Structure formats: C-alpha cells, structure tokens
Amino acid sequence: MSGRNTALTPPADATAPVRHPDAPAPGELLGAHYEHCFGCGDGQPHGLHLEARAGEGVRVTAEFTVKPAHQGAPGLAHGGVLATALDETLGSLNWLLRVIAVTGRLETDFVRPVPVDTVLYLEAEVTAVAGRKIYSSAVGRIGGPQGPVALRADALFIEVKVDHFIDNGRPEEIRAAMADPDQVRRARAFEVNP
C-alpha cells in the first residue's frame, strides 16, 4: 500500500509480524467470531456473511457476495459495506497473531464499482508491528484472486485487553457472551482465537 497517511506508516523501529505457533493452519476457515457480527456472523440476515481463511505467514483471504441488501446506488455495492468487508478481513488477521485488537484507523481507496451479485475476493496481510500497533493492508478484487482490483485499504489496529469490550459493550450482550458455557465461543465473541 502507498502509506499516504503517516498514521498508517509503521515507525522505523517496527518489526515484521510473526504468526503465532497456535494460529489456524493455512487454508483453515476462520469462521464467525460472533454470531451477531454484521461482517461474519450467521445471525445477521442482511450481514455480509464474509468467510475468511488463514493464509501463509500473516495473511488471510476472504470472500463475500454482494447482495441486494448491500447496495447504495442502484445495482452497486454501498461504499460503507465495502469498507466493512475490508475491516472484517483486516481484523481477521489478528487471529493469526492471537491478539485482541480493534480498528484504530482504516483508509480505503475505491477503485471501481462493485455490482450486486458480485463475489468480492479479499486478501490481507499484516505488514508490521510496533508495540500495541498492528499495521496491515488489503486489496479487494472482483470475481477471484486474479480479478480486477475494486478497492484497497491500509489499516492500523490497536491491541486491547478484553476489558475494552466489557467496559464499552452493551451490558446484555456482554453478559450473554460471558455466560456462554462453550469456552471457545465465549473467547471468540471477543475476537480472540483461543
């Protein structure tokens, strides 16, 4: 990515990202971290239902199909929905680092329109880590990994503790997630891959 914004340019002392030894294997479907997530959850009837897979190194690939409920202009995907797809894909990278992180900044370039019923293929990678800051980039292509580029993004994620969600989330959802007897689902609700 171009690094146009200094907030998205890693500092000189940033390090290369290191895939956690317990990260999902390359090719493994990551699945939804939370069923009510608009980006990846099955419990959202008009959500993106984005499916991300672990890649090599600290990379992921993802796909989602633009549905009529995702349009802005007639027959075309809404730009905010496309930014959400990028954010969801970039956020999935943190599962490979095994850290809890939230989006601090997302800069998106919309290169070409994305029609309804298009499958958007996304690729993302972590480019650097500096303390709690995780720098990453993504590209979205129409129809497959070799398709024309439709959008690009650079992002900065900030590592947080689970208290970030507990202190700021709506209490009823936090209680429900924390009360889930399934330890894996409980951890994944807070975007950490156990």
Side-chain angles (χ1 to χ4, degrees):
M1 298 281 106
S2 64
R4 298 165 304 282
N5 185 305
T6 57
L8 296 173
T9 302
D13 63 347
T15 60
V18 177
R19 182 189 188 99
H20 192 280
D22 295 330
E28 186 176 327
L29 184 64
L30 298 178
H33 68 88
Y34 180 54
E35 72 173 302
H36 298 294
C37 174
F38 182 79
C40 65
D42 292 333
Q44 287 290 346
H46 298 298
L48 304 186
H49 302 147
L50 185 134
E51 292 188 344
R53 291 188 181 278
E56 297 291 336
V58 189
R59 296 172 184 249
V60 297
T61 60
E63 291 184 18
F64 100 95
T65 301
V66 178
K67 304 288 186 189
H70 302 142
Q71 64 191 309
L76 296 174
H78 189 287
V81 168
L82 296 175
T84 300
L86 286 164
D87 184 49
E88 186 69 30
T89 303
L90 289 157
S92 295
L93 289 165
N94 299 312
W95 295 16
L96 302 180
L97 299 172
R98 288 187 55 120
V99 299
I100 302 172
V102 295
T103 311
R105 185 172 187 94
L106 175 67
E107 186 171 301
T108 305
D109 293 323
F110 299 95
V111 178
R112 67 174 15 100
V114 179
V116 168
D117 296 326
T118 294
V119 175
L120 192 64
Y121 181 86
L122 300 123
E123 297 175 311
E125 69 176 321
V126 175
T127 57
V129 176
R132 294 176 44 227
K133 295 180 177 181
I134 302 163
Y135 298 85
S136 53
S137 62
V139 64
R141 296 176 180 272
I142 294 174
Q146 304 306 317
V149 173
L151 53 153
R152 294 185 181 94
D154 290 309
L156 170 64
F157 281 77
I158 308 297
E159 186 175 350
V160 297
K161 303 292 183 204
V162 74
D163 293 351
H164 168 85
F165 300 98
I166 294 168
D167 294 345
N168 296 294
R170 203 165 65 162
E172 51 267 33
E173 278 89 354
I174 296 298
R175 280 193 299 273
M178 295 296 282
D180 192 327
D182 184 315
Q183 189 173 18
V184 172
R185 275 199 315 259
R186 186 170 59 238
R188 290 185 74 179
F190 298 102
E191 299 189 348
V192 61
N193 192 20

